[in-house]
């Protein structure tokens, strides 16, 4: 076989993989577009559902939940953003299935068993984080933001001894509200991926439980910075985010520790670990299997016999 034929034979599997990747991507794009179109037809009910945290806070303050469009095209772009988010969520199971079918043939059986649980846990943890952001964090954030309004109980202007009466009432943009709400949902959904990410890294040996414990103080600082960047300048919301993410970090340490115990037990069962490796060298009895040491021992015995 010539060198040219060998190159052509080696390139054939690559071309097949690229063709399969192209087909998977086409299916994923079509599924996403179908989900987006479906969500576009019901974009108004979805947007009304997303406004529940704001409307609840306004209702508690005795205000109407009124959002405005500050440009003629803003309503259309709001519907597009709602459709993009809804289409991604709606088509995610199919997208994940396409990714799995492309990756799975190249994995060993044990690798499939290790990767599949994390693929299933990732969307669950994202949904958990998004729900926490929508039902807990977002109402607290808007409660803080709307506290800077200035008006009386009946909506009248607040009198000021040094200036004319002033009324500062919230009239929010629908697009700005949607952007901020999506920011909260995506940020908390990604933060809740921490146990999944660290456990997967521990599964492949990139991190260890002892290593995570040793950098705990740096993790605290990083989580505090994350809380300051993601949440509004509200101490209560920042504390909630810090407590949640730090709790997830501690859970990650426990999960990585369990993974290490299971891996060590499996290696012991397969004979890769020796129980004698766990014995303290100071407590172990000396062994004289070295031929050089044995020769010295024989010389000592001969000298002792001569002295006698």
């Amino acid at each position: 076989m010539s060198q040219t034929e060998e190159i052509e034979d080696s390139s054939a599997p690559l071309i097949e993989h690229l063709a399969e990747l192209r087909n998977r991507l086409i299916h994923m794009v079509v599924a996403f577009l179908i989900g987006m179109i479906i969500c576009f037809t019901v974009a108004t009910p979805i947007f009304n559902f997303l406004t529940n945290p704001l409307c609840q806070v306004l209702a508690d303050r005795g205000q109407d939940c009124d959002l405005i469009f500050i440009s003629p095209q803003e309503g259309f772009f709001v519907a597009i953003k709602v459709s993009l988010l809804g289409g991604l969520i709606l088509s995610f199971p199919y997208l994940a299935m396409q990714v799995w079918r492309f990756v799975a043939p190249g994995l060993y059986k044990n690798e499939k068993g290790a990767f599949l649980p994390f693929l299933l846990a990732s969307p669950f943890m994202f949904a958990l984080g998004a729900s926490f952001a929508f039902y807990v964090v977002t109402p607290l954030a808007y409660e803080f933001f709307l506290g800077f309004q200035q008006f009386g109980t009946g909506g009248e202007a607040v009198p000021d001894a040094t200036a004319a009466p002033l009324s500062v009432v919230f009239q929010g943009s629908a697009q700005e509200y949607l952007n901020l709400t999506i920011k909260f949902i995506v940020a908390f959904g990604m933060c809740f991926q921490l146990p999944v990410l660290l456990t997967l890294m521990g599964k492949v040996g990139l991190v260890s439980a002892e290593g995570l414990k040793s950098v705990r103080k740096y993790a605290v600082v990083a989580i505090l910075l994350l809380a300051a960047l993601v949440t509004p300048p509200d101490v209560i919301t920042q504390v909630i985010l810090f407590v949640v993410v730090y709790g997830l970090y501690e859970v990650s340490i426990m999960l990585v520790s369990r993974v290490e115990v299971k891996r060590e037990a499996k290696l012991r069962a397969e004979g890769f670990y020796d129980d004698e490796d766990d014995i303290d060298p100071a407590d172990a009895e000396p062994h004289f299997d070295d031929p050089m040491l044995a020769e010295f021992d024989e010389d000592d015995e001969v000298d002792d016999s001569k002295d006698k």
Side-chain angles (χ1 to χ4, degrees):
M1 181 180 295
S2 64
Q3 185 176 2
T4 305
E5 293 176 350
E6 292 179 357
I7 295 175
E8 291 178 353
D9 292 339
S10 62
S11 62
L14 177 60
I15 295 175
E16 293 177 1
H17 285 303
L18 291 176
E20 183 182 1
L21 178 61
R22 180 197 61 188
N23 294 333
R24 299 291 182 189
L25 291 176
I26 292 175
H27 290 166
M28 293 169 67
V29 171
V30 171
F32 173 73
L33 291 177
I34 293 175
M36 181 179 172
I37 293 173
I38 293 174
C39 292
F40 187 81
T41 60
V42 291
T44 300
I46 295 176
F47 179 76
N48 293 340
F49 171 75
L50 292 176
T51 58
N52 283 336
L54 176 65
C55 293
Q56 184 63 41
V57 174
L58 289 172
D60 294 339
R61 293 174 174 269
Q63 298 177 247
D64 295 331
C65 187
D66 295 329
L67 293 175
I68 63 174
F69 293 147
I70 60 176
S71 62
Q73 71 275 14
E74 184 173 340
F76 173 74
F77 286 114
V78 166
I80 291 295
K81 289 183 179 180
V82 171
S83 303
L84 289 172
L85 179 63
L88 179 62
I89 296 175
L90 192 63
S91 62
F92 183 81
Y94 184 79
L95 302 181
M97 182 184 67
Q98 292 296 321
V99 173
W100 173 251
R101 286 186 174 181
F102 179 74
V103 175
L107 300 177
Y108 293 105
K109 184 177 180 180
N110 59 342
E111 293 175 340
K112 291 181 181 179
F115 184 71
L116 184 59
F118 296 99
L119 185 63
L120 298 176
S122 181
F124 171 77
M125 293 301 295
F126 184 89
L128 186 62
S131 301
F132 179 79
F134 185 75
Y135 291 106
V136 178
V137 178
T138 305
L140 291 175
Y142 290 130
E143 182 72 30
F144 172 79
F145 288 140
L146 295 177
F148 293 94
Q149 298 180 100
Q150 300 179 33
F151 59 92
T153 57
E156 70 275 9
V158 178
D160 193 342
T162 61
L166 176 65
S167 178
V168 181
V169 183
F170 171 75
Q171 291 182 342
S173 165
Q175 187 170 358
E176 291 298 327
Y177 169 79
L178 183 63
N179 291 340
L180 186 59
T181 303
I182 292 177
K183 175 186 175 183
F184 281 131
I185 292 175
V186 174
F188 275 81
M190 296 303 295
C191 288
F192 272 63
Q193 298 295 315
L194 185 64
V196 179
L197 177 62
L198 291 181
T199 306
L200 182 60
M201 294 175 66
K203 191 82 173 179
V204 298
L206 295 179
V207 297
S208 64
E210 292 298 326
L212 294 176
K213 292 178 182 178
S214 64
V215 298
R216 184 182 280 126
K217 56 184 178 181
Y218 302 105
V220 170
V221 176
I223 294 172
L224 286 173
L225 292 176
L226 177 66
L229 294 175
V230 174
T231 59
D234 178 14
V235 176
I236 297 177
T237 308
Q238 292 177 357
V239 170
I240 290 176
L241 178 61
F242 172 77
V243 171
V244 171
V245 177
Y246 183 73
L248 293 174
Y249 185 80
E250 293 294 335
V251 170
S252 303
I253 293 177
M254 291 188 293
L255 293 175
V256 172
S257 179
R258 288 189 58 186
V259 167
E260 291 175 347
V261 170
K262 290 182 179 181
R263 182 170 64 241
E264 182 177 347
K266 182 179 179 181
L267 292 176
R268 287 183 185 278
E270 294 176 354
F272 291 101
Y273 266 87
D274 189 1
D275 293 335
E276 294 181 357
D277 295 339
D278 298 334
I279 301 176
D280 190 353
D283 299 334
E285 296 181 357
H287 298 279
F288 300 102
D289 297 333
D290 194 341
M292 297 294 295
L293 294 178
E295 184 177 350
F296 282 115
D297 292 339
E298 292 177 358
D299 293 339
D300 292 339
E301 292 176 359
V302 171
D303 293 338
D304 293 339
S305 61
K306 289 181 179 180
D307 294 337
K308 292 179 180 180

